[in-house]
Amino acid sequence: MAAFTWSALVNDKATQLTGAITSGSPTDGGSLTVGSTSGFPATGYLDIDANDSTKYERVQYSAIANGTTFTLAAASSRGADGTTARAHQAGATVELNWGAAQANEI
């Protein structure tokens, strides 16, 4: 993962999953398809179902493949930052939030 840059910070970025995912798929290096990646930084962390403590998961992405696909990091992308990889339904909220991983990169 590239070093954190302040220019990567944006406010109120959210989208939704376009299809359900399981706790085991996609895997590291796989892809996460959403409604839109417009305005998201080129790399970073995403929170899925952040408003539900029973479903919350943080994932790390290493690239945006097109306007609707995040490429997950090659290692430890699911359940990042101390969370657990979980199943999520289509329509689940995917948002850009600040977390310990970003703070540790500074």
Side-chain angles (χ1 to χ4, degrees), residues 1-6 45 58 60 80-82 97-106:
M1 170 69 52
F4 177 81
T5 61
W6 287 105
Y45 293 83
R58 176 167 278 214
Q60 182 182 16
D81 221 5
N97 284 321
W98 178 261
Q102 292 94 328
N104 290 333
E105 288 181 9
I106 297 177

Side-chain angles (χ1 to χ4, degrees), residues 21-23 47-58 78-79 82-89 92-93:
I21 62 173
T22 69
S23 61
D47 290 345
I48 306 173
D49 283 325
N51 292 326
D52 185 338
S53 63
T54 65
K55 296 180 183 178
Y56 171 64
E57 177 184 358
R58 176 167 278 214
R78 297 287 309 271
T83 65
T84 300
R86 300 183 190 277
H88 304 280
Q89 298 299 314
T93 301

Side-chain angles (χ1 to χ4, degrees), residues 1-101:
M1 170 69 52
F4 177 81
T5 61
W6 287 105
S7 62
L9 289 176
V10 293
N11 290 321
D12 302 321
K13 287 308 306 171
T15 188
Q16 296 81 33
L17 291 177
T18 58
I21 62 173
T22 69
S23 61
S25 179
T27 58
D28 295 342
S31 60
L32 192 66
T33 305
V34 298
S36 174
T37 59
S38 178
F40 283 85
T43 62
Y45 293 83
L46 302 168
D47 290 345
I48 306 173
D49 283 325
N51 292 326
D52 185 338
S53 63
T54 65
K55 296 180 183 178
Y56 171 64
E57 177 184 358
R58 176 167 278 214
V59 300
Q60 182 182 16
Y61 68 99
S62 58
I64 295 176
N66 58 44
T68 59
T69 304
F70 291 104
T71 301
L72 299 179
S76 303
S77 61
R78 297 287 309 271
D81 221 5
T83 65
T84 300
R86 300 183 190 277
H88 304 280
Q89 298 299 314
T93 301
V94 177
E95 49 193 330
L96 185 69
N97 284 321
W98 178 261

